[in-house]
Amino acid sequence: QQQVKQSPQSLIVQKGGISIINCAYENTAFDYFPWYQQFPGKGPALLIAIRPDVSEKKEGRFTISFNKSAKQFSLHIMDSQPGDSATYFCAASKSSSDKLIFGTGTRLQVFP
Amino acid sequence: DVKVTQSSRYLVKRTGEKVFLECVQDMDHENMFWYRQDPGLGLRLIYFSYDVKMKEKGDIPEGYSVSREKKERFSLILESASTNQTSMYLCASSSPRGADREKLFFGSGTQLSVL
């Protein structure tokens, strides 16, 4: 049973464009939604995270948009750069648990 | 700088062998996790531990066991390796307290091939 569905599986964006990755969750008890970034040969690293008390969180060129009623959240990368080329994972968990449920990942390629 | 170290970057084993994957963290974290990463399936939780000598099953524990004798070390054991256990294995740790609460710190992974 896949509790966090992520799309698209892969994404190709031109430098300077906007990259958008979407995730949907099923469990309404989830209250923590992080995004992890993974470069080849490395483990994932936390990029940005949001809780459902806000609808948007921005850190530099990275923004999470959160829609509680639709049970969806998305990552927007503005002014995408070749250095952003990586695999991105959304995830979700309940604060009462430290157990993260991950999406299936999106491989982003940004071309100059 | 925080560090999660996995003992091997690449490992090749034969079917039926007993395999040990070791993970050490230097952050004094209570929580430790083992995930496997497969293309198109993302990261799936195998086992996790909230404290020394404690372990809990994740979503795909079949064919695996774990050991946590010391706080900083969490071992994943494949009792009898099979070809469907060929995968990238990722260890992670976290603390239930502080500013980095809920943040997972990952190792660089062990790519295991079972022939």
Side-chain angles (χ1 to χ4, degrees):
Chain A
Q1 182 185 0
Q2 188 180 350
Q3 296 190 54
V4 179
K5 294 183 180 179
Q6 183 172 348
S7 63
Q9 190 169 0
S10 64
L11 185 59
I12 299 174
V13 172
Q14 196 111 24
K15 179 183 175 183
I18 302 173
S19 303
I20 302 174
I21 305 170
N22 300 300
C23 281
Y25 63 97
E26 298 166 2
N27 190 339
T28 55
F30 288 152
D31 58 3
Y32 174 66
F33 303 91
W35 286 88
Y36 279 75
Q37 180 187 53
Q38 183 182 30
F39 293 107
K42 303 288 186 183
L46 179 65
L47 181 64
I48 186 172
I50 197 169
R51 297 190 187 276
D53 53 342
V54 296
S55 60
E56 187 174 282
K57 183 173 180 180
K58 186 176 181 180
E59 289 185 3
R61 296 184 293 107
F62 299 90
T63 300
I64 299 179
S65 296
F66 184 79
N67 186 330
K68 189 174 181 178
S69 60
K71 293 188 287 184
Q72 294 175 347
F73 58 109
S74 59
L75 176 70
H76 296 236
I77 306 174
M78 311 300 288
D79 187 26
S80 298
Q81 299 296 312
D84 297 329
S85 297
T87 299
Y88 292 82
F89 293 96
C90 63
S93 70
K94 296 181 276 188
S95 291
S96 57
S97 163
D98 295 294
K99 182 178 149 184
L100 267 180
I101 308 297
F102 283 88
T104 51
T106 297
R107 186 184 175 206
L108 171 65
Q109 294 174 275
V110 181
F111 285 97
Chain B
D1 199 15
V2 287
K3 203 160 186 182
V4 177
T5 303
Q6 295 183 230
S7 54
S8 304
R9 184 73 184 93
Y10 298 97
L11 212 51
V12 179
K13 296 292 182 181
R14 296 281 180 193
T15 302
E17 277 192 78
K18 189 169 186 176
V19 181
F20 293 86
L21 301 183
E22 306 287 346
C23 176
V24 178
Q25 51 97 3
D26 65 359
M27 296 163 282
D28 200 35
H29 283 169
E30 288 82 355
N31 305 329
M32 295 190 75
F33 306 82
W34 275 106
Y35 286 88
R36 65 176 281 178
Q37 180 177 3
D38 300 287
L41 297 178
L43 280 73
R44 293 179 293 166
L45 183 62
I46 305 171
Y47 266 97
F48 58 107
S49 168
Y50 288 138
D51 203 347
V52 176
K53 297 199 186 290
M54 292 182 66
K55 61 183 178 183
E56 293 199 35
K57 293 180 180 179
D59 299 317
I60 51 165
E62 296 78 20
Y64 303 95
S65 62
V66 290
S67 172
R68 193 158 180 209
E69 296 296 318
K70 294 184 178 181
K71 189 176 185 180
E72 67 271 17
R73 187 178 297 269
F74 193 36
S75 302
L76 180 69
I77 304 158
L78 286 66
E79 295 290 342
S80 177
S82 63
T83 54
N84 62 13
Q85 292 179 309
T86 291
S87 184
M88 171 67 77
Y89 290 87
L90 289 162
C91 175
S93 71
S94 72
S95 172
R97 291 176 295 277
D100 284 337
R101 181 175 65 90
E102 296 170 309
K103 178 179 177 180
L104 287 183
F105 293 85
F106 282 90
S108 294
T110 295
Q111 179 62 53
L112 172 67
S113 296
V114 182
L115 306 178

